[in-house]
């Protein structure tokens, strides 16, 4: 909690102003994701408040914004449709407990194994997803309930307002950085629309258009504690556990990847395990206060970072300001033009996409370029969790295939008549078959020595390969010896016990001549 005030006065102002900017952009996002999950708007708004507040205080990445997200909302839809919103709240509680367990087991560090091409593909894909999500703001429902593009005058007005918003965000920092340009752009466009009485969609128009209720509003009261109204039995657990696992996994993957992106932007390092605990605690509380849960939001996090928010106070301010909008200032927020918020998000898209990746793709290995494109495409057409898993698996397979080619051996006969193979390269599942092809058991002498000075025994497949080779030599009445094994390789072979029928030669001890010795 004390981290909220561990900043200089100048940072306080930047955090507060950037937090206010983020809170304005959170409203339509939270409402939209609530509709995706087939829940009431306040369920999404409460999630944005609770997740933002808890992770700002307990999370592992100052300056990162959390709230209701589309990646988790799409998972919730089937559960809400099949069993109702109370089962959703129970699943969010369980997802929070699973995330807390992941943090306690220190699983957050595994985000480091995500290769750089996967990260680039993730960022590019997410930028495209954010862009496509904004296109819905240029549409409205017709009398039949179908979405259609705005009429030409309204469309032109909205495009001009979006362009004005983007221009202010781009050019204002060249004049002054005293206030976030995004906040100024939202206020200027809102005043312009109100003064000139321009006919363009506002936040309340969007809310009523999506809900079909002409009296819909974001106004509400404080969230109230309530235990989810579900039977406490094994059947309930059977229903919610798969959803909870997916929600927890998707939430952590998106949060930890966003943490990594923010780390690179700010040249600092967040705490992955602490972020798991913060996300889990936030979701746990959401389930007990009628909120849909959530995770880190890369779009809002980029708005915060680009607006100067670096400390925990920025996330805290965004959450508290959002609650104040719900309680006291719903009328003001509802009059904000959607064009202003779309313009802000379009600038986020431009800042998030790795434009250098186009030039990079011609310089990096072909398989890395393929992974970048693959992860980008999968992120757009499925979701980021699947995209990351696919990217990591493909990268691992390519790595294994490349290193399988590196296993080599040079054959010679020692002065005492032994056949010596000097092995080079790692011995593991992918190189095991190539390893066996390096030896000619019929032509070798009675004693065969494999020198592992420049190699390593990595896994069970390697042990199996050595065992198979030993059996070939034993069948011909010959003996296989291994030497210069590293200590961890020796432990691996000893643990295998009788599976490997070979002689582990004692490595010779060498003494270095010392000129000072008498």
């Amino acid at each position: 909690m004390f981290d909220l005030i561990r900043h200089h006065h100048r940072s306080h102002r930047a955090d507060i102003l950037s937090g206010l900017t983020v809170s304005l952009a959170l409203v339509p996002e939270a409402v939209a994701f609530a509709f995706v999950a087939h829940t009431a708007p306040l369920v999404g708004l409460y999630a944005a408040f609770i997740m933002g507040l808890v992770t700002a205080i307990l999370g592992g990445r100052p300056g990162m914004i959390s709230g209701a997200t589309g990646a988790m909302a799409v998972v919730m839809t089937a559960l809400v449709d099949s069993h109702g919103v109370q089962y959703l709240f129970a699943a969010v509680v369980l997802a929070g407990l699973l995330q807390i367990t992941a943090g306690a087991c220190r699983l957050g560090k595994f985000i480091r194994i995500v290769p750089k091409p996967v990260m680039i593909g993730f960022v590019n894909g997410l930028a495209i997803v954010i862009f496509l999500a904004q296109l819905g703001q240029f549409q409205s429902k017709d009398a039949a309930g179908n979405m259609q593009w705005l009429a030409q005058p309204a469309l032109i007005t909205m495009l001009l307002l979006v362009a004005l918003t983007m221009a202010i965000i781009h050019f204002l920092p060249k004049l002054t950085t005293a206030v976030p340009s995004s906040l100024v752009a939202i206020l200027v466009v809102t005043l312009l629309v109100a003064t000139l009485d321009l006919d363009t969609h506002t936040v309340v128009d969007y809310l009523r258009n999506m809900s079909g209720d002409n009296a819909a509003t974001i106004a509400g009261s404080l969230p109230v504690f309530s235990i989810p109204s579900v039977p406490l039995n094994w059947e309930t657990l059977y229903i919610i556990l798969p959803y909870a696992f997916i929600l927890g996994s998707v939430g952590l993957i998106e949060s930890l990847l966003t943490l990594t992106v923010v780390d690179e932007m700010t040249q600092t390092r967040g705490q992955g395990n602490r972020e798991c605990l913060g996300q889990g605690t936030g979701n746990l509380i959401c389930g007990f206060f009628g909120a849909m849960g959530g995770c880190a939001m890369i779009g809002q996090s980029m708005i915060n970072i680009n607006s100067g928010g670096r400390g925990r106070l920025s996330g805290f301010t965004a959450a508290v300001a959002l609650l104040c909008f719900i309680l006291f200032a719903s009328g003001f927020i509802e009059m904000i033009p959607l064009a202003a918020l779309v313009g802000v998000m379009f600038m986020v898209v431009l800042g998030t996409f790795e434009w250098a990746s186009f030039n990079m793709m011609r310089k990096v290995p072909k398989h890395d370029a393929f992974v970048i494109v693959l992860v980008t495409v999968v992120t757009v057409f499925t979701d980021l969790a699947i995209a990351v898993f696919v990217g990591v698996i493909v990268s691992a397979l390519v790595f294994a295939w490349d290193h399988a080619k590196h296993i080599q051996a040079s054959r010679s006969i020692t002065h005492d008549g032994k056949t010596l193979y000097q092995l080079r390269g790692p011995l593991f599942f992918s190189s095991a078959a190539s390893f066996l092809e390096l030896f000619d058991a019929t032509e070798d002498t009675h004693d065969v020595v494999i020198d592992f000075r420049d190699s390593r025994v990595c896994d069970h497949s390697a042990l199996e390969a050595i065992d198979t080779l030993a059996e070939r030599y034993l069948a011909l009445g010959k003996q296989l010896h291994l030497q210069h094994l590293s200590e961890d390789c020796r432990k691996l072979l000893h643990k295998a016990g009788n599976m490997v029928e070979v002689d582990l030669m004692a490595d010779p001890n060498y003494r270095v001549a010392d000129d000072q010795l008498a």
Side-chain angles (χ1 to χ4, degrees):
M1 180 67 179
F2 295 107
D3 288 342
L4 291 174
I5 58 175
R6 286 180 181 170
H7 301 285
H8 298 298
H9 176 72
R10 186 176 179 183
S11 295
H12 282 162
R13 182 181 64 184
D15 282 349
I16 292 172
L17 292 176
S18 62
L20 289 173
T21 306
V22 170
S23 65
L24 296 175
L26 278 173
V27 175
E29 294 282 308
V31 171
F33 296 141
F35 285 126
V36 170
H38 294 178
T39 62
L42 281 176
V43 173
L45 291 168
Y46 287 155
F49 161 64
I50 295 172
M51 292 299 301
L53 182 67
V54 174
T55 56
I57 298 173
L58 302 179
R61 173 67 263 180
M64 193 166 74
I65 305 299
S66 295
T69 61
M72 294 182 68
V74 295
V75 178
M76 300 172 180
T77 304
L79 179 59
V80 174
D81 289 344
S82 301
H83 301 281
V85 72
Q86 292 298 322
Y87 278 84
L88 169 62
F89 298 150
V92 170
V93 170
L94 184 55
L97 291 174
L98 293 175
Q99 290 177 329
I100 292 173
T101 302
C105 295
R106 307 184 68 80
L107 299 182
K109 60 185 178 183
F110 287 104
I111 198 65
R112 301 174 192 170
I113 70 173
V114 176
K116 186 65 175 181
V118 176
M119 287 295 303
I120 295 174
F122 157 76
V123 170
N124 289 350
L126 213 51
I128 295 173
V129 169
I130 294 172
F131 171 78
L132 294 176
Q134 304 313 306
L135 297 182
Q137 314 296 354
F138 294 90
Q139 299 176 324
S140 62
K141 287 183 179 179
D142 58 19
N146 299 317
M147 298 299 293
Q148 61 179 5
W149 294 102
L150 298 174
Q152 186 173 3
L155 184 61
I156 293 175
T157 300
M158 188 164 182
L159 288 173
L160 290 175
L161 292 174
V162 169
L164 175 61
T165 302
M166 297 176 69
I168 294 173
I169 295 174
H170 178 72
F171 290 107
L172 183 61
K174 301 180 186 301
L175 301 176
T176 178
T177 58
V179 290
S181 57
S182 298
L183 179 60
V184 173
I186 292 172
L187 294 177
V188 168
V189 172
T190 301
L191 290 174
L192 182 66
V193 170
T195 303
L196 300 180
D197 195 23
L198 298 178
D199 183 18
T200 186
H201 282 185
T202 61
V203 171
V204 72
D205 293 328
Y206 173 77
L207 175 60
R208 292 171 180 175
N209 187 40
M210 293 297 292
S211 64
D213 180 6
N214 291 329
T217 177
I218 68 168
S221 58
L222 287 170
V224 178
F225 177 84
S226 176
I227 297 176
S229 300
V230 297
L232 299 178
N233 52 37
W234 291 109
E235 182 180 356
T236 299
L237 181 62
Y238 178 79
I239 293 172
I240 67 173
L241 182 58
Y243 291 98
F245 180 79
I246 296 173
L247 289 172
S249 301
V250 170
L252 287 186
I253 291 172
E254 183 162 1
S255 298
L256 293 174
L257 287 176
T258 303
L259 180 146
T260 304
V261 173
V262 175
D263 282 354
E264 292 182 359
M265 292 186 64
T266 59
Q267 299 298 308
T268 57
R269 183 170 179 176
Q271 303 173 58
N273 294 315
R274 180 173 176 179
E275 185 61 30
C276 293
L277 295 172
Q279 293 290 332
T281 304
N283 280 305
L284 181 66
I285 296 174
C286 279
F288 286 118
F289 280 87
M292 61 185 286
C295 60
M297 309 177 74
I298 191 168
Q300 277 64 26
S301 297
M302 295 302 101
I303 293 174
N304 190 43
I305 297 300
N306 293 333
S307 299
R310 294 292 187 274
R312 297 185 183 276
L313 185 59
S314 59
F316 181 86
T317 301
V320 173
L322 179 60
L323 180 63
C324 291
F325 295 155
I326 297 171
L327 298 178
F328 311 115
S330 60
F332 170 73
I333 300 303
E334 289 171 353
M335 66 182 292
I336 294 177
L338 286 178
L341 301 176
V342 170
V344 172
M345 296 308 294
F346 277 172
M347 293 302 291
V348 168
V349 170
L350 294 176
T352 301
F353 195 92
E354 284 282 355
W355 300 102
S357 60
F358 289 115
N359 185 45
M360 183 192 309
M361 302 247 278
R362 296 179 295 177
K363 301 178 181 179
V364 299
K366 292 182 179 179
H367 57 78
D368 283 340
F370 172 74
V371 169
I372 292 174
V373 175
L374 176 66
V375 173
T376 300
V377 172
V378 176
T379 299
V380 172
F381 287 99
T382 57
D383 63 66
L384 65 93
I386 294 176
V388 171
F389 280 128
V390 169
V392 171
I393 290 172
V394 171
S395 298
L397 290 175
V398 170
F399 175 85
W401 178 261
D402 285 345
H403 280 68
K405 305 173 185 176
H406 295 167
I407 190 78
Q408 299 174 5
S410 57
R411 181 178 181 274
S412 61
I413 305 298
T414 64
H415 67 279
D416 54 356
K418 296 179 180 178
T419 302
L420 175 63
Y421 286 91
Q422 291 180 306
L423 200 63
R424 293 183 297 276
L427 180 55
F428 64 116
F429 69 91
S430 185
S431 61
S434 300
F435 167 78
L436 292 173
E437 295 174 358
L438 298 173
F439 301 89
D440 188 352
T442 57
E443 297 296 327
D444 291 339
T445 59
H446 179 271
D447 289 296
V448 180
V449 179
I450 304 179
D451 189 341
F452 280 86
R453 185 191 303 274
D454 299 319
S455 181
R456 288 179 56 82
V457 180
C458 299
D459 59 11
H460 179 76
S461 297
L463 297 178
E464 288 283 1
I466 295 173
D467 190 50
T468 299
L469 186 63
E471 289 176 354
R472 291 181 183 177
Y473 282 108
L474 287 174
L476 297 174
K478 300 178 181 181
Q479 180 65 43
L480 184 64
H481 309 271
L482 308 181
Q483 71 175 13
H484 291 139
L485 285 163
S486 63
E487 187 60 32
D488 56 338
C489 293
R490 284 182 173 273
K491 289 180 180 178
L492 192 63
L493 288 166
H494 280 302
K495 188 175 181 180
N498 296 330
M499 188 189 79
V500 181
E501 297 292 342
V502 295
D503 172 37
L504 299 181
M505 297 178 63
D507 297 333
N509 292 323
Y510 299 99
R511 295 183 179 275
V512 180
D514 192 336
D515 293 337
Q516 296 180 357
L517 291 177

